[in-house]
Amino acid sequence: MRVPLSWLREYVDLSATETGRDVQAKLISAGLEVETVEHLGADLKGPLVVGQVLTIEELEGFKKPIRFCTVDVGRANGTGEPQEIVCGARNFSVGDKVVVVLPGATLPGGFSISARKTYGKTSHGMICSSDELGMGDDGTHGIIVLPPETEVGKDAIELLELVDEVLDIAVTANRGDCLSIRGVARETAIAYGLPLRDPALLDVPGPNAYGYPVKVSDPAGCDRFTARTVTGLSPEARSPIWLQRRLQKVGMRPISLAVDVTNYVMMELGQPLHAYDRHQVQGTIGVRRAQEGEKIVTLDGVERKLHAEDLVITDDRGPIGLAGVMGGADTEIADHDPSEEGAGATTDVIIEAAHFDQVSVARTARRHKLSSEASRRFERGVDPQAAAAAAQRTVDLLVLLAGGTAEAGVTEVIAPGAPHTITVAADHPDKVAGVTYGRETVVRRLQEVGCDVYGQDELIVTVPSWRPDLTDANDLAEEVIRLEGYENLPSTLPQPPAGRGLTARQRLHRRVGRALAGAGYVEALNYPFVSEQVFDQLGLEADDPARRVVKLANPLNDEEPALRTSLLPGLLAALRRNDGRGSHDLALFETGLVFQPRDAAKVAANLPVDRRPSPDDIAALNAALPDQPRHVAVVLAGAREQAGWWGKGRPADWADAVEAARTVAREAGAELRMRKGQYGPWHPGRCAELTVTVDGAERVVGHAGELHPRVVKTLGLPARACAMELDLDVLERVGDTVPQAPSISTFPVATQDVALVVDAFVPAADVEAALREGAGELLESIRLFDVYENAEQLGEGRKSLAYALRFRADDRTLTVDEASAARETAVALAAERTGAVLRG
């Protein structure tokens, strides 16, 4: 909303020293978002005067039409002689009054004017257009032609109100009252503690039986409809300069007197209006819902097919306007065409000032993709009590400016209703803000807003008609707080009870993040939205549980309507995006929630807002939500170790993804077992299945390894990309997060190596588990240090696994016999379980 300071001063007696910046600071303090203050004419310097064109000579021989004019500027040039000016515009004639800038002046943008020779003539100044003066669009796209009665030699800067300050306010959706000069003036008056001259306080005649007939068939969509008639408008009447300039300053283009007056009153009072050509309206004006398939041609010349929910204005022929959005072309106000001797010009108009349902107007505007100044206001809330005053103001201006006659008939259709009343404790704002305002301050501030307030400890507040956003006690508290100043609220840190801190889940989350960052991974946070096609790209089976998704009712992106069941789609997209931008050596990780639908869908109940929800309320809400376990995932591509003087470096491979899983498991204090696996996007020969023991049963918690070449190609990923994903919540459940101090023995270690030959399909993890169990308590650690395959030496389908076993006792030095006995027991159990035999 653009608000000229000169217009604002009409309703609030601001000090002459108050600038736009001062008003901006006051309004921001009161809660309005004043984005900018535009200084119109800040670099404009005269002489800029009114002139009358005396002669026009057409200059020949140039690529475009050029005219050499003499213009009477009175004594403004110091001589009284006609001013000689070269001009290329064609929209003025001899005798017209125009705006002339003389040598020595400066136009907006720092453009200095001086006498100069052009097209074989010397031009002493310029005849100005509205664009050259920074006035905005006036619809002519040419020279400004002033009314014939304008005095020659008059200062055009003052005449055209070229110097002003305009506040640009970003009005929030709940403050429709501030989409008007009246609403902003009210806020300004409150902020300065000054009285308001309300432009809506007019003497309005009551309804009578002589008004134009109106029938409202849908009172829920239109609870108030006022109609007034003005006849005998002069076809030659034009909008005065002051009216045109005010419209231009608020960002509207002058069109014709009748239309300009309705737009002016809308900007002044916030009440959208519409003027119908009375001779084009046939029969009773009606308000109803459209019939499916009806059509209307709106003022923008577009034929629109109506929906059954659209609220329309009708006459005996059918729809003549989209209620609250835009009028129809059939009843459009016709402007006077001088070339046709006034033929077809509108002389009698019907003024409509109505109040339409916010939701209905909003849906119609969006359905037809037709946003207008009127719909913007109705969507945010319009004062229904202002309709009669707005109609009267429009009538008064048309009578004054166009010589019309106001008919005595007044039509007013009003649906029964009562003002909104709120009961609130007098100290409720104190409790909300944590500041003691006191009853007197609360009552005074609410009355300044326009509320009627009664009562002592419990206040009964009647909300003003122009503030439909005030619906409950908290809204009233907010009004008191903002007017007293948000900046006056003390900064008070909450005092948490002793002993509370991060939960175990939060601590694990942070430890895992720090550990992966320390291992060289960079955290990437991705949106939790996916498309269902990504599961095909990842190669998941048709019955894979990960394909069961929770879909959003109103997704941000229609192509990604589901919540993720895996972190990989987002991470792989980040990997592809960074690789495409030149970062080829990548190691990314993410910890976040995934969403798994429950078997039985439930509808969540609305939680109370006037009290803390009970544990049962919260439990019922959680029961209706999908399961949301926390996962951790990594993706790698390119070099894992860079080449340099220290060595050749190496690329990332499946083992790095497996090691990332081990890093996470160590932070969770969980024992993670690995075996060969095959799942979804991973390469079947380079995929580790990650398991833990939960309540005595083995459970798969994730996978790690190299991605399948088909997935790499489909998703456009770097070659040999690797990934890992784990269920972090399960690791937390089985893990032991109690810190364990390392045990440092004073006795030496006994090392025994063993090489076992097994079938190629036997997992090394199974052999290691058998060795660990068979070695007993003396085994300190076991490490696989070699895998050897040779059909000639070992046999077809056989492999050799070499392990280093470290034995140590806490209370003595082990003998060779003790270490060897433990080794032999371990080998025996491995042979029993896996068929392993000692190599050689």
Side-chain angles (χ1 to χ4, degrees):
M1 175 68 190
R2 291 171 56 85
V3 180
L5 190 59
S6 59
W7 199 350
L8 194 63
R9 289 182 185 275
E10 282 198 9
Y11 311 128
V12 184
D13 287 327
L14 295 173
S15 169
T17 59
E18 288 294 304
T19 66
R21 294 290 185 189
D22 297 329
V23 177
Q24 178 188 31
K26 284 285 190 179
L27 292 180
I28 288 176
S29 178
L32 293 186
E33 186 179 348
V34 185
E35 293 186 326
T36 60
V37 178
E38 183 180 353
H39 297 270
L40 302 182
D43 51 358
L44 177 63
K45 178 184 175 184
L48 188 72
V49 298
V50 176
Q52 184 173 21
V53 180
L54 301 178
T55 64
I56 297 177
E57 177 187 350
E58 301 288 346
L59 301 182
E60 305 292 341
F62 299 102
K63 293 182 179 179
K64 61 179 181 179
I66 299 296
R67 312 167 97 187
F68 180 65
C69 310
T70 59
V71 184
D72 178 14
V73 294
R75 302 293 302 178
N77 57 5
T79 65
E81 297 295 324
Q83 201 79 3
E84 296 180 340
I85 299 175
V86 175
C87 183
R90 314 290 295 177
N91 68 311
F92 65 96
S93 307
V94 173
D96 283 346
K97 303 289 180 66
V98 294
V99 179
V100 178
V101 57
L102 301 178
T106 302
L107 293 182
F111 182 60
S112 299
I113 302 299
S114 61
R116 64 189 184 95
K117 190 169 184 179
T118 179
Y119 297 102
K121 300 284 185 178
T122 300
S123 181
H124 299 272
M126 282 176 52
I127 301 176
C128 298
S129 67
S130 59
D131 288 339
E132 290 164 340
L133 297 179
M135 295 170 57
D137 185 12
D138 63 356
T140 64
H141 303 292
I143 293 302
I144 301 171
V145 179
L146 300 172
E149 64 273 14
T150 310
E151 179 186 350
V152 172
K154 184 178 179 64
D155 184 358
I157 295 178
E158 179 183 350
L159 175 70
L160 299 177
E161 302 177 13
L162 297 179
V163 178
D164 202 350
E165 292 181 276
V166 179
L167 285 69
D168 194 351
I169 304 175
V171 179
T172 55
N174 66 317
R175 291 303 304 272
D177 60 304
C178 288
L179 285 174
S180 67
I181 304 297
R182 178 197 184 200
V184 177
R186 183 182 295 107
E187 291 294 318
T188 305
I190 296 172
Y192 278 93
L194 296 172
L196 169 70
R197 289 189 293 275
D198 192 342
L201 294 180
L202 302 174
D203 291 330
V204 179
N208 53 52
Y210 311 110
Y212 198 90
V214 173
K215 180 182 179 181
V216 177
S217 301
D218 190 338
C222 176
D223 58 10
R224 185 178 294 263
F225 194 107
T226 300
R228 300 289 298 275
T229 304
V230 181
T231 59
L233 301 180
S234 171
E236 290 80 15
R238 291 291 176 267
S239 300
I241 292 174
W242 64 265
L243 192 149
Q244 294 187 44
R245 288 296 295 134
R246 286 192 170 179
L247 289 178
Q248 288 174 326
K249 289 176 185 179
V250 298
M252 301 191 76
R253 179 172 64 88
I255 298 173
S256 64
L257 178 58
V259 176
D260 291 349
V261 166
T262 58
N263 285 337
Y264 177 85
V265 175
M266 175 179 66
M267 303 307 297
E268 182 181 51
L269 301 182
Q271 168 65 54
L273 302 109
H274 189 69
Y276 301 93
D277 187 327
R278 180 175 181 178
H279 297 295
Q280 301 300 325
V281 178
Q282 299 180 12
T284 300
I285 291 179
V287 182
R288 61 169 172 82
R289 297 291 171 175
Q291 297 175 8
E292 191 70 38
E294 278 189 306
K295 295 181 180 180
I296 183 176
V297 178
T298 46
L299 288 174
D300 56 359
V302 177
E303 183 180 78
R304 303 182 185 277
K305 187 176 180 180
L306 300 178
H307 188 275
E309 291 185 4
D310 291 334
L311 193 67
V312 293
I313 311 298
T314 65
D315 64 5
D316 290 350
R317 296 168 297 178
I320 58 173
L322 279 174
V325 181
M326 185 175 286
D330 289 344
T331 57
E332 181 180 6
I333 299 295
D335 198 9
H336 169 60
D337 186 347
S339 65
E340 298 183 9
E341 301 295 334
T346 298
T347 57
D348 300 341
V349 298
I350 301 172
I351 305 300
E352 165 212 305
H355 185 259
F356 300 111
D357 177 62
Q358 293 177 242
V359 175
S360 176
V361 172
R363 287 177 175 173
T364 296
R366 282 156 181 73
R367 189 179 298 118
H368 295 282
K369 298 180 181 179
L370 185 61
S371 180
S372 65
E373 291 289 346
S375 67
R376 286 184 62 219
R377 283 161 176 78
F378 279 121
E379 288 173 17
R380 289 160 175 78
V382 169
D383 180 5
Q385 302 291 340
Q392 182 63 46
R393 178 74 164 138
T394 305
V395 169
D396 292 344
L397 288 173
L398 289 177
V399 170
L400 175 67
L401 303 177
T405 301
E407 289 196 351
V410 177
T411 303
E412 199 161 13
V413 180
I414 303 175
H420 181 52
T421 300
I422 303 171
T423 300
V424 57
D427 62 349
H428 182 67
D430 301 1
K431 295 178 179 178
V432 173
V435 176
T436 302
Y437 293 122
R439 179 188 178 280
E440 291 184 3
T441 299
V442 171
V443 171
R444 174 172 57 85
R445 287 303 190 182
L446 292 179
Q447 288 175 338
E448 287 177 347
V449 171
C451 298
D452 291 330
V453 185
Y454 303 95
Q456 292 299 318
D457 294 338
E458 187 173 76
L459 304 179
I460 300 175
V461 182
T462 301
V463 174
S465 58
W466 57 82
R467 291 299 302 274
D469 59 305
L470 302 181
T471 60
D472 56 42
N474 288 327
D475 293 331
L476 299 180
E478 182 182 4
E479 291 300 297
V480 174
I481 295 168
R482 76 174 181 88
L483 295 179
E484 284 294 305
Y486 291 119
E487 68 277 9
N488 296 323
L489 293 178
S491 298
T492 305
L493 292 176
Q495 298 295 326
R500 292 188 180 180
L502 298 177
T503 65
R505 189 185 195 209
Q506 291 169 329
R507 289 195 295 270
L508 175 59
H509 179 207
R510 294 192 178 189
R511 287 202 311 274
V512 167
R514 285 194 293 266
L516 290 176
Y521 290 86
V522 176
E523 187 171 17
L525 301 178
N526 300 291
Y527 283 120
F529 312 118
V530 296
S531 67
E532 294 184 86
Q533 288 73 26
V534 74
F535 302 124
D536 297 327
Q537 297 170 340
L538 292 177
L540 300 186
E541 298 292 337
D543 58 349
D544 194 295
R547 285 182 175 269
R548 294 185 62 235
V549 295
V550 177
K551 291 189 177 180
L552 300 173
N554 188 22
L556 294 177
N557 183 351
D558 291 338
E559 294 182 359
E560 295 179 335
L563 291 172
R564 66 189 179 191
T565 56
S566 166
L567 299 182
L568 289 184
L571 272 179
L572 293 177
L575 182 74
R576 179 180 63 247
R577 185 164 52 250
N578 282 275
D579 180 70
R581 294 177 180 177
S583 298
H584 303 301
D585 302 326
L586 296 163
L588 308 177
F589 84 93
E590 181 178 10
T591 56
L593 302 179
V594 298
F595 305 86
Q596 300 168 350
R598 299 181 187 270
D599 294 334
K602 298 181 180 179
V603 178
N606 292 326
L607 294 182
V609 296
D610 58 341
R611 58 181 173 80
R612 177 182 175 83
S614 68
D616 291 340
D617 291 334
I618 297 175
L621 177 64
N622 289 333
L625 297 176
D627 288 328
Q628 301 176 51
R630 186 179 295 276
H631 281 202
V632 57
V634 305
V635 293
L636 306 100
R640 184 62 176 142
E641 295 179 2
Q642 296 291 336
W645 57 265
W646 53 84
K648 296 182 180 180
R650 68 174 183 84
D653 61 17
W654 64 268
D656 294 301
V658 172
E659 181 57 30
R662 289 196 180 99
T663 299
V664 173
R666 281 195 296 270
E667 293 300 323
E671 182 182 352
L672 191 66
R673 290 183 291 278
M674 302 165 194
R675 63 188 180 210
K676 182 179 179 181
Q678 181 174 349
Y679 176 70
W682 280 277
H683 193 297
R686 298 166 188 163
C687 172
E689 187 175 74
L690 311 174
T691 66
V692 295
T693 300
V694 181
D695 297 331
E698 191 176 55
R699 178 171 171 180
V700 177
V701 291
H703 295 82
E706 184 179 319
L707 294 177
H708 197 290
R710 182 173 58 250
V711 173
V712 169
K713 181 179 180 181
T714 301
L715 295 178
L717 302 174
R720 309 299 290 269
C722 303
M724 178 278 293
E725 183 167 13
L726 277 173
D727 189 326
L728 196 54
D729 281 354
V730 176
L731 290 183
E732 178 192 1
R733 179 180 170 186
V734 303
D736 181 6
T737 58
V738 178
Q740 298 291 333
S743 176
I744 302 175
S745 176
T746 59
F747 298 98
V749 66
T751 303
Q752 296 275 344
D753 292 345
V754 58
L756 302 175
V757 178
V758 297
D759 291 333
F761 62 82
V762 175
D766 291 351
V767 177
E768 180 180 325
L771 289 173
R772 187 182 300 275
E773 182 179 345
E777 295 180 353
L778 294 179
L779 180 67
E780 182 180 77
S781 67
I782 181 172
R783 177 174 62 88
L784 175 67
F785 66 85
D786 182 58
V787 178
Y788 177 69
E789 295 180 357
N790 188 309
E792 294 181 1
Q793 297 183 15
L794 304 178
E796 191 69 31
R798 304 280 283 176
K799 64 182 178 182
S800 170
L801 304 175
Y803 292 90
L805 285 72
R806 292 167 58 91
F807 298 96
R808 196 194 311 257
D810 294 333
D811 56 351
R812 68 187 186 281
T813 299
L814 293 178
T815 65
V816 174
D817 292 339
E818 288 178 308
S820 297
R823 170 180 177 272
E824 291 171 0
T825 304
V827 171
L829 186 59
E832 178 184 343
R833 292 187 177 178
T834 66
V837 296
L838 281 171
R839 181 180 171 188

